[in-house]
């Protein structure tokens, strides 16, 4: 069975500092990995994805994520955090099967402190 | 207008009542999903549909039913609501995930349901 772990319930970072939100995964076959962001009282929005190719993928709002196959990780990063980045972030993994089941992590709340 | 629209956005009901949450989309996607979000649990899949005639149970389908009325419409019903179905419910759509379209999900704004 596939799974996603987000080990931190909350990450606090000062505005202007780099941020990292951690994600590790387990899936059979090649992973399709996603990050989504949820602002208060809103639905989830797609940020970025890794399917194949370059291990560093860039997404919306200046976010990027690094795929590490040996560590089965897909950490979300941003060089300089903004207060407006404060939100709930979800990592997700999808398998390659016919159903393409998507499994979400439990989410990490990012708090950027002014 | 939003690509994925959910109604109602908020609903308070009593135990035993029948509730329907509706979802419509303008993205032209065949695939539609219903998820439930509980604090600390992430998102759990209730039902999914790959086209009008294809409906499948997800991880937590007990106590729920769905109807795919058209390509653009996918409704979730709670036949007899109970308090532990109090949650935030999301509808989502996706494309089949071929070529450059790798199946990312597009979510509605959510329907907050409270069962007293």
């Amino acid at each position: 069975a596939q799974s996603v772990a987000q080990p931190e319930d909350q990450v606090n970072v000062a505005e202007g500092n780099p941020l990292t939100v951690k994600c590790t995964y387990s899936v059979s076959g090649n992973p399709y990995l996603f990050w989504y962001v949820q602002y208060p009282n809103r639905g989830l929005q797609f940020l970025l994805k890794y399917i194949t190719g370059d291990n560093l993928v860039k997404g919306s709002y200046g976010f990027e994520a690094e795929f590490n196959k040996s560590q089965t990780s897909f950490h979300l990063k941003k060089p300089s955090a903004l207060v407006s980045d404060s939100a709930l972030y979800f990592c997700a993994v999808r398998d390659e099967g016919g159903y393409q089941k998507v499994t979400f992590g439990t989410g990490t709340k990012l708090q950027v402190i002014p | 207008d939003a690509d994925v629209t959910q109604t109602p956005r908020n609903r308070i009901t009593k135990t035993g009542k029948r509730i329907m949450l509706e979802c419509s989309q303008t993205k032209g996607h065949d695939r539609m999903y219903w998820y439930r979000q509980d604090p600390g649990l992430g998102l759990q899949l209730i039902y999914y549909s790959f086209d009008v005639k294809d409906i499948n149970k997800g991880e937590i389908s007990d106590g729920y039913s769905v109807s795919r009325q058209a390509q653009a419409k996918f409704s979730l019903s709670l036949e007899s609501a109970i308090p532990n179905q109090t949650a935030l419910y999301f509808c989502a759509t996706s494309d089949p995930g071929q070529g450059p379209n790798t199946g990312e999900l597009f979510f509605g704004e959510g329907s907050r349901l409270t069962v007293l």
Side-chain angles (χ1 to χ4, degrees), chain A residues 29-109:
Chain A
N30 295 319
Y32 286 30
L33 295 157
F34 302 83
W35 276 101
Y36 292 85
V37 59
Q38 184 181 27
Y39 298 102
N41 300 314
R42 302 294 298 276
L44 281 72
Q45 299 175 33
F46 168 74
L47 264 184
L48 51 78
K49 64 190 176 190
Y50 171 83
I51 304 302
T52 187
D54 195 348
N55 289 344
L56 184 66
V57 294
K58 295 186 183 296
S60 306
Y61 311 121
F63 283 92
E64 57 190 27
E66 186 170 12
F67 171 65
N68 187 316
K69 187 173 183 178
S70 63
Q71 297 184 3
T72 61
S73 67
F74 189 56
H75 299 332
L76 181 70
K77 300 181 179 184
K78 188 174 183 181
S80 179
L82 300 173
V83 173
S84 57
D85 293 329
S86 298
L88 188 57
Y89 290 82
F90 289 94
C91 182
V93 65
R94 200 196 85 192
D95 67 18
E96 293 181 289
Y99 159 37
Q100 299 175 349
K101 174 183 168 60
V102 177
T103 299
F104 286 85
T106 53
T108 299
K109 182 178 180 180

